[in-house]
Amino acid sequence: MTSESNQALVNSESGLEPSPEFGLQLRGLKKSFHGVKVVEDVNLSIKVGEFVTLLGPSGSGKTTCLNMVAGFLLPDAGEVLIKGRDLAQVPPERRGLGIVFQSYALFPHMSVAKNIAFPLKRRGIKGAELKERVRRALVQVELEQRAEARPSELSGGQQQRAALARALVFEPSLILFDEPLGALDRRLREHLQVQLREMHERLGFTALYVTHDQEEALRLSDRIAIMNEARIAQIGACEDIYKRPQSAFVAKFLGDANMLKVTVLECAPRACTVRIEDSQAVMQANHGEESRFERGDQALLVARPEALTVSPADGYGDATLLVRGELTDRVFVGQDVVSTVDTPQGARISIRERPEGAIGQLSVGDQVDVVWRTLESSAVVPVSAGDLPE
Ligand code: ADP
Ligand code: MG
C-alpha cells in the first residue's frame, strides 16, 4: 500500500470541510524545526463533545500538534479551526481553551483555591458564584481539604489534579491534555483516568488528549489517532483500530501482536486468502477496506495472542491452523496462561488463553498446533521497511 493511498484513507474520515459541528479541526497541519519535518500533513476532525487521543511514540510530533492548537507555536502550513472558525489570528489567551500540560505549572505563589479561581476571575465571575464554582471544582478532583495549600506543598498527583480543576472550572468547550498523568504512579493514574472519563461524560467538553500509553488511550478515548514519524498512521474507534490495523506499526503499537510472513493468494474487498509461509496453512484474514493486495504479494498476518489457542499436534479438528511447533514456555499471569510456541522455521508465537483448554494438559517440549480461536481480529497488513519479524 502506498503512503498516498494511506493518506487517502486518513482523509476519507468525514469532516475535512470547516463546520460548526466540530469542536476542533486540524487541516493539513505542518511544522518543521531546522528543516526536519516534525508534523507533516495532519488532518483530524473532532466532533463537539468527543474525546480523541493522539497516541504515538516519543518524538512522533504529538506535543507539537497540541502547541499549534494552543497557539504557542505557529504552523508552517495548515489550519486550526474551532467550530468552523479559523484561529490563525487568535492569540493563545483568547482561544478559550482549557490546558493541562506537563509543563503548564500552577502559579506557585497562589493557593490551590486561588489557582482554580484565576480563570474564572479573568472572565468576570465573582462573589458567591466564584466561591461555589471553585468549591465544586475542588470536590471534583478531591482536593477540598487542600484548598489553602501552595502547589509546592502538594504531591505530584495533587498538583496535576489541581491543574485539571483549573482547566475544567470555566467549562471550556475544548480541553487540551499533554500526558497529564505521565508522572503519577499506576494506581493514582488509573483512578484519575476513571475520574476524567466521568467528568467528560458529565460535562461534555471536547478533548484532544496526548499520550504514549496505549492502555490510557484505550480507557479514555472515543477515538484514537495513532501518530508515527510526524504523520497520523490511522484514526478510528479503539476497537476498530485494534481489530483492523492497517499497518504493522499500528498493530504493534496498540496491543500485542504476532506477525507472520504470508503470501497473498487471492484478495477480495475486505478479506484476503493467504498462505502462511511457516506452516503452508491457507486461511482467510481481514484487511482494511481500502488496502488492496495483488495475488502473489508478500504481506504480514497480524495474530493477536488472545485470538489463538494451543492444541495437541493434529488434534485441532475443524479449527483454522496458524502454525505448528514446539511449546517452549508457559506462564500463568492471573486469570490467563501465556504460552510460547517456536516453529522449526524460527518464528516465535505468543498465545494468551484461559487455562481450562488443552493447554492445561500440555507440557513444555510437546509438539503442538497453534490454531485460531476467533478469526474476527485477524488482519493482513503490507510489509514495509523495518516491519519484518526477526
Ligand atoms: P512528542 O510529543 O510526540 O514526543 P514532539 O512534538 O515533542 O513529540 O517532538 C517531535 C520532534 O520535534 C522531536 O524530534 C523533537 O525533538 C522535535 N522538536 C520539538 N520541539 C522542538 C523545537 N522547539 N525545536 C527543535 N526541535 C523540536
Ligand atoms: Mg510530547
Side-chain angles (χ1 to χ4, degrees), residues 2 28 43 70 140 270 280 283 301-303 309 318 348 355 373:
T2 64
N43 292 288
Q140 272 173 356
R270 281 186 157 274
Q280 298 297 302
M283 61 171 286
L301 175 65
V302 179
T309 177
D318 293 334
R348 168 160 287 184
R373 214 168 41 71

Side-chain angles (χ1 to χ4, degrees), residues 109 142 147 179 190 281 330 370:
H109 57 288
E142 296 174 30
E179 315 236 12
E190 287 177 3
R330 198 174 60 159
V370 178

Side-chain angles (χ1 to χ4, degrees), residues 59 62-64 102 178-179 210:
K62 307 180 297 294
T63 295
T64 305
Q102 268 173 341
D178 193 352
E179 315 236 12
V210 160

Side-chain angles (χ1 to χ4, degrees), residues 253-266:
F253 202 77
L254 199 70
D256 295 324
N258 298 297
M259 298 284 195
L260 284 152
K261 293 187 210 176
V262 296
T263 303
V264 175
L265 301 181
E266 210 183 302

Side-chain angles (χ1 to χ4, degrees), residues 136-194:
R136 261 191 286 146
L138 284 164
V139 170
Q140 272 173 356
V141 296
E142 296 174 30
L143 279 178
E144 60 275 38
Q145 309 299 329
R146 305 308 313 269
E148 296 314 316
R150 294 281 172 90
S152 60
E153 297 166 319
L154 302 179
S155 70
Q158 289 172 332
Q159 287 185 33
Q160 227 21 340
R161 271 145 60 199
L164 183 60
R166 191 180 60 179
L168 287 166
V169 71
F170 65 97
E171 296 171 9
S173 62
L174 173 63
I175 306 186
L176 306 177
F177 299 90
D178 193 352
E179 315 236 12
L181 312 179
L184 310 180
D185 70 51
R186 186 184 172 86
R187 198 194 58 78
L188 188 56
R189 203 162 63 222
E190 287 177 3
H191 178 65
L192 283 178
Q193 285 163 2
V194 172

